[in-house]
Amino acid sequence: MLPYGRQSIDESDVAAVIDALSSDWLTTGPRVAEFEAMLAEVAGAPCVTVTNGTTALHAAYAAAGVSAGDEVVTTPMTFVATASGAAMLGATVVFADVEEDSANLDPAAVEAVVTERTKVIAAVDYAGVPADYDRLRKIADGAGAYLLGDAAHSIGSLYRGRPVGTLADLTTFSFFPTKNLTTAEGGAIASTRPELVTRLREFRTVGLVRDRARMRYPDEGAWHQEVHQFGLNYRLPDVLCALGSSQLRRLAAFKERRRQLAARYDELLADVPGLRLPVQADDVDPMRHLYPVRILDGRRREVFDRLRAAGIGVQVNYIPVYWHPVFEDLGYRRGMCPNAEAFYAEELSLPLFADLTDDDQDRVVEALRGILGS
Ligand SMILES: *Cc1c(COP(=O)(O)O)cnc(C)c1O
């Protein structure tokens, strides 16, 4: 089965991991700091690595101080972790609808639901296209809320010339194999706010405070470390950070190949009936993470099944988050965000990853043409 997304691992990646394995460090060693420094270059802000994109979101919400009684406004057109990280801290998740074309959080919809209880506004850069951060920033500032970007799709993307990582107070990344670069499992949080970076570092290390200047009992002894706020062990190991640094060296090449492939789809699918191609906003330079087409005339399920039967591993991204039974059981009802639901009904992600060959892509195009009849 041709997958919709997959990792690209070359000899330099393998060598980097082998090197790390035979060093003195397996967990927290110099490769963590090296990967975080390289990430900070790409993100334009200090970065803290964690075990995956889900724990990155959990840590980011915890750093923002999200707790019971708070509201977190987010998009339903995302992986469930964008919302569940806040829900697990006791917050009420408020879903605001997406823009009809980009499937990104609609600032007007956010504006309509913010209250004095809004603690975080969490956007997602769907398919790698940054959300409208300038407008979201104004709303967040007006509400006294933090702005969070779930950039699981968009590391390396630019918005009005600024890198994803500088656009929100907290920006989370995922390094799962289907994402734009991988550490097997892995994630990170970039933050433009030094106090949040400190909190993130402590949270991912069980809450331990090691900085003597911050200790309540600094004279206890050289062994001493103390916990001020609870945390978890979310550390990304040295061995995986070695892979991450190696992958980051290839990020520009990944971005260029994804751009080429997306442009080829644009061209090769332009005249296919019953199909709507993704729009491209002009003030962004995206890392093309997904290629999300819309299958019209109620045929999405049929097209999905027939492509899968032909060995083409298409995907649907995403079921509106509040359709998950856990949210349904909390009282969330279908119909709440009509644009997201309409998008979901038609969406199909075609294979797109750095090592996809032109031949395999042609096969996807021909199969789709065969089904949609052109
Ligand atoms: C993949 C993804 C996550 C979760 O990342 P994991 O590394 O798989 O835990 C969160 N949000 C979005 C939008 C994602 O695509």
Side-chain angles (χ1 to χ4, degrees), residues 139-198:
I139 300 166
D141 285 352
Y146 287 109
L147 184 57
L148 183 149
D150 178 344
H153 297 184
S154 61
I155 189 166
S157 295
L158 303 177
Y159 168 86
R160 299 185 173 154
R162 285 131 57 196
V164 163
T166 60
L167 307 168
D169 299 299
L170 293 150
T171 305
T172 62
F173 302 113
S174 164
F175 309 128
F176 190 71
T178 54
K179 303 294 164 70
N180 300 317
L181 71 108
T182 192
T183 60
E185 294 283 355
I189 311 99
S191 181
T192 52
R193 292 175 171 258
E195 75 280 10
L196 295 182
V197 175
T198 301

Side-chain angles (χ1 to χ4, degrees), residues 52-55 57 78-79 81-82 124 150 152-153 173-176 179 185-186 289 318:
N52 55 64
T54 301
T55 55
L57 284 155
T78 183
F79 182 60
T82 316
V124 172
D150 178 344
H153 297 184
F173 302 113
S174 164
F175 309 128
F176 190 71
K179 303 294 164 70
E185 294 283 355
H289 173 60
Y318 294 92

Side-chain angles (χ1 to χ4, degrees), residues 18 40 54 82 120 134 172 185 201 231 254 257 264 286 358 368:
I18 289 174
T54 301
T82 316
V120 178
D134 283 348
T172 62
E185 294 283 355
R201 288 198 184 289
F254 291 161
R257 180 58 183 157
R264 274 191 102 236
D358 286 6
L368 196 51

